[in-house]
Amino acid sequence: MNFFAYQHLLLLDLNSSGLFFYLAKDLQDLSSIDFSNLTLLKKVLNTKLCQENLLADEVLFEQLLHKNLKAFELEHYSLVFLLAPETSDLEKKAIKAVSPFLKQVSFVDRHFFYNFYLIQKRNFSKTKLIVNLFNDCVELSLFDQDKLLAYEKVLIRNLLLASHDFWQKAKLKFEFKQPDCFYFFNNNFPDKTLLAPLSKSLNLEAIEIDKLC
């Protein structure tokens, strides 16, 4: 018997807004994912779990992880964590240590996965500016199709100035066709007052997205 065999992928987006669980059924290879068949199982909103998208409470994380995995009643699955690119090897080791025994665990930089989603579901332009909003910070990333051109994490209070600076520097440094829009992942953040001024500052239409399915 192969104890490491699995049938499904359980994706966990770990960030300072909480822990979001997505299920990709009958899939072993993440590159073959069909976002049309991705299911959001649950969004656990908890601002104590992470600080600036880095794990802050290992005990709380273990409790939330095991409580929800038990409630889902899944078998034969692998865990894929979507993380901030700054996540250290030590943090990844801590996440693995509290994950269920004999479950395969892998890690993916969140911005690559979100860009993968856009290429499949919202491929409006070759150049993609992604604004990923969380409870205490924002991840900014710029892609030319699947190639990462730039990435930066900023505090929410600095978002307008930082995103404008990020965008202007990118336009000077890289050659690309000006897109008509940027992609705004709100992650259930309650304050939508940032969206209109951000769109005006970037001079781009905002495409707002609240989940990956």
Side-chain angles (χ1 to χ4, degrees), residues 14 55-59 61-62 65-66 81 83 87-100 105 107:
L14 178 61
L55 186 61
D57 192 329
E58 187 177 322
V59 174
F61 166 69
E62 183 176 13
L65 177 63
H66 286 269
F81 286 92
L83 303 175
T87 304
S88 67
D89 289 340
L90 191 61
E91 285 174 296
K92 292 177 181 177
K93 185 176 180 180
I95 291 171
K96 270 191 173 182
V98 299
S99 296
V105 177
F107 304 103

Side-chain angles (χ1 to χ4, degrees), residues 3 9 12 20 22 30 40 42 53 57 63 65 76 89 96 101 104 129-130 138 146 150 177 179 192 198 201 208-209:
F3 289 101
L9 294 183
L12 299 94
F20 308 158
Y22 293 91
L30 192 61
L40 174 62
K42 190 172 184 180
N53 287 342
D57 192 329
Q63 291 172 348
L65 177 63
H76 309 299
D89 289 340
K96 270 191 173 182
F101 184 58
Q104 181 170 318
L129 174 61
I130 302 173
V138 183
D146 58 355
K177 183 179 179 181
K192 301 297 182 66
L198 180 60
S201 174
E208 188 174 11
I209 304 165

Side-chain angles (χ1 to χ4, degrees), residues 111-174:
H111 55 305
F112 280 103
F113 191 75
Y114 276 56
N115 181 64
F116 187 28
Y117 164 86
L118 292 173
I119 289 176
Q120 188 176 127
K121 296 280 287 184
R122 309 268 185 130
N123 201 20
F124 301 136
S125 63
K126 184 180 178 183
T127 303
K128 293 175 175 59
L129 174 61
I130 302 173
V131 180
N132 214 337
L133 181 69
F134 299 103
N135 182 66
D136 59 5
C137 66
V138 183
E139 293 178 353
L140 304 171
S141 51
L142 179 67
F143 283 87
D144 179 8
Q145 284 296 80
D146 58 355
K147 180 182 179 182
L148 177 66
L149 300 180
Y151 168 85
E152 186 176 347
K153 182 170 67 177
V154 302
L155 298 179
I156 289 180
R157 65 174 179 268
N158 299 331
L159 176 58
L160 292 181
L161 288 176
S163 59
H164 183 269
D165 185 57
F166 177 87
W167 183 231
Q168 294 304 315
K169 285 181 178 178
K171 289 196 291 186
L172 288 174
K173 185 175 181 180
F174 305 104

